[in-house]
Amino acid sequence: MKAVVMNRPGDRDVMAYVAWPDPQPGPGEVLVTVAAAGVNFMDLGVRQGKAWTETPDPKVMGVEGAGTVRAVGAGVTEFAPGDRVAWVYAPGSYAEQVVIPAASVVPVPSGIDDETAASVMMQGLTASHFATDFYPVQPGDVALVHAAAGGLGLLLTQIIKLRGGTVIGRVSSAEKAVVARAAGADHVIIDTAGQFAQQVRALTGGIGVAVVYDGSGPVTFQGSLDALRASGTFCWYGPVLGAPEAIEIMSLPRSIKLGYAVFSDHIPTPALLRQHAAQLFDWIARGQLKVQATTAYPLKEAAQALADIESRKTTGKLLLVPAGR
Ligand SMILES: NC(=O)c1ccc[n+]([C@@H]2O[C@H](COP(=O)([O-])OP(=O)(O)OC[C@H]3O[C@@H](n4cnc5c(N)ncnc54)[C@H](OP(=O)(O)O)[C@@H]3O)[C@@H](O)[C@H]2O)c1
């Protein structure tokens, strides 16, 4: 088969589209023909050598996708060849085929196409965790969403709106502001220098926001703290762009809640994973959640897709589609 590997940590030149041995499913695993693989910001962290270092290079990149089961290993009873499935946190997804533990895949309903399913496994499950679990948004809450035109940001904005919240989006350009507004953001601030807190305070009558969702690195951290209302919640989630300096706890605004949110820590069983994915697919089937601004690249263009997300110019979800799909 063909796959996209990284030969060592580094820039885009460490990635290559190569012939790679066909994977075989072992006990408890399924072999899937990949229809679409999701590109995530974390893949950039992997390419840069900041994550997934325990697996030696060269390794097939990518952790998310959707496709059709081709074969199952011993002991797999809940899936059969021909079933359509999606997955996240399954290493080796930038490929024509991937082997995944059966416990890590979810069934895809007939009304949801492969590209849509591949688009929501990482960013949709993360967004729904942030807005329904880490901080359950209440009607009337005002939320600040960073990178509101990105893959995660567009889905998070819609889920906050579904729950009756108001969204202030922060983006880096006027083009991105248009995309964020189209997803339902009530207000959009254009900023790249961490200077947004005053505008957030003005938009909230001086009160600040109930919750800030910030995966945009050290530049935004202090502004996000300053934008919070009394007893607000800070949902921090972006390791790839880096963390703030060590925090002196007594320097934080009093009574806020601050945490590093990762959805998979909260849905550790296959049953919960499938339940949360089914909720996303149901919102999509009902037209309540839209996968917007998707860009599909041929699988062999994976290095370009990651260079594009790194360049800060992309909006929405980026997908990789194997040849012949
Ligand atoms: N904790 C978790 O479980 C989890 C899960 C999924 C994703 N994440 C994190 O969520 C964030 C968004 O992920 P995504 O996959 O949906 O990507 P994305 O939002 O589609 O793209 C990354 C966004 O980061 C913003 N950004 C800020 N500073 C940047 C810089 N120096 N270079 C490039 N982009 C910059 C850009 O928005 P602006 O240009 O508008 O600022 C860009 O749209 C990432 O930080 C990712 O690591 C965390």
Side-chain angles (χ1 to χ4, degrees), residues 4 12 15 17 297-308 320:
V4 175
R12 61 178 291 173
M15 293 173 65
Y17 180 65
Y297 297 71
L299 177 61
K300 65 179 180 186
E301 305 286 340
Q304 184 62 50
L306 271 192
D308 287 349
L320 301 174

Side-chain angles (χ1 to χ4, degrees), residues 42 50-51 89 126 129-130 134 212-215 221 233-244 247 257-266:
M42 71 160 281
K50 294 177 184 164
Y89 290 129
T126 299
H129 169 60
F130 286 0
F134 191 87
V212 57
Y213 297 104
D214 188 349
F221 189 78
T233 297
F234 194 133
C235 175
W236 188 86
Y237 59 86
V240 178
L241 286 168
I247 296 167
K257 297 169 204 73
L258 166 64
Y260 175 8
V262 178
F263 85 83
S264 52
D265 292 336
H266 296 261

Side-chain angles (χ1 to χ4, degrees), residues 67-315:
T68 303
V69 175
R70 192 180 172 116
V72 300
V76 175
T77 53
E78 68 271 50
F79 295 102
D83 287 349
R84 293 176 58 243
V85 294
W87 61 89
V88 64
Y89 290 129
S93 298
Y94 284 10
E96 290 177 333
Q97 297 173 46
V98 60
V99 159
I100 311 169
S104 300
V105 299
V106 305
V108 177
S110 57
I112 305 290
D113 63 46
D114 291 327
E115 285 75 13
T116 301
S119 296
V120 296
M121 292 304 294
M122 173 70 86
Q123 295 160 343
L125 287 169
T126 299
S128 70
H129 169 60
F130 286 0
T132 67
D133 184 11
F134 191 87
Y135 177 80
V137 172
Q138 303 301 312
D141 277 348
V142 185
L144 173 59
V145 174
H146 283 282
L152 177 53
L154 290 177
L155 294 168
L156 182 56
T157 294
Q158 293 176 77
I159 295 171
I160 294 167
K161 297 297 295 177
L162 267 176
R163 294 179 63 90
T166 295
V167 174
I168 301 175
R170 199 274 319 145
V171 297
S172 61
S173 70
E175 294 76 17
K176 289 187 176 185
V178 172
V179 177
R181 278 199 195 90
D186 299 275
H187 312 278
V188 182
I189 297 169
I190 301 170
D191 175 79
T192 53
Q195 300 300 316
F196 51 85
Q198 219 176 347
Q199 289 180 71
V200 174
R201 293 235 157 243
L203 287 167
T204 54
I207 293 169
V209 294
V211 55
V212 57
Y213 297 104
D214 188 349
S216 288
V219 175
T220 48
F221 189 78
Q222 185 60 49
S224 291
L225 280 178
D226 295 342
L228 270 183
R229 77 172 185 206
S231 306
T233 297
F234 194 133
C235 175
W236 188 86
Y237 59 86
V240 178
L241 286 168
E245 300 278 297
I247 296 167
E248 166 54 51
I249 196 161
M250 286 181 67
S251 73
L252 292 172
R254 277 169 36 200
S255 299
I256 67 160
K257 297 169 204 73
L258 166 64
Y260 175 8
V262 178
F263 85 83
S264 52
D265 292 336
H266 296 261
I267 50 175
T269 66
L272 278 172
L273 176 67
R274 287 166 197 163
Q275 184 184 317
H276 283 250
Q279 165 74 89
L280 281 177
F281 294 146
D282 186 54
W283 278 333
I284 293 167
R286 291 169 186 273
Q288 293 173 305
L289 185 65
K290 295 193 169 63
V291 177
Q292 294 161 321
T294 304
T295 309
Y297 297 71
L299 177 61
K300 65 179 180 186
E301 305 286 340
Q304 184 62 50
L306 271 192
D308 287 349
I309 205 169
E310 188 173 19
S311 76
R312 209 173 178 171
K313 293 202 179 97
T314 62
T315 55

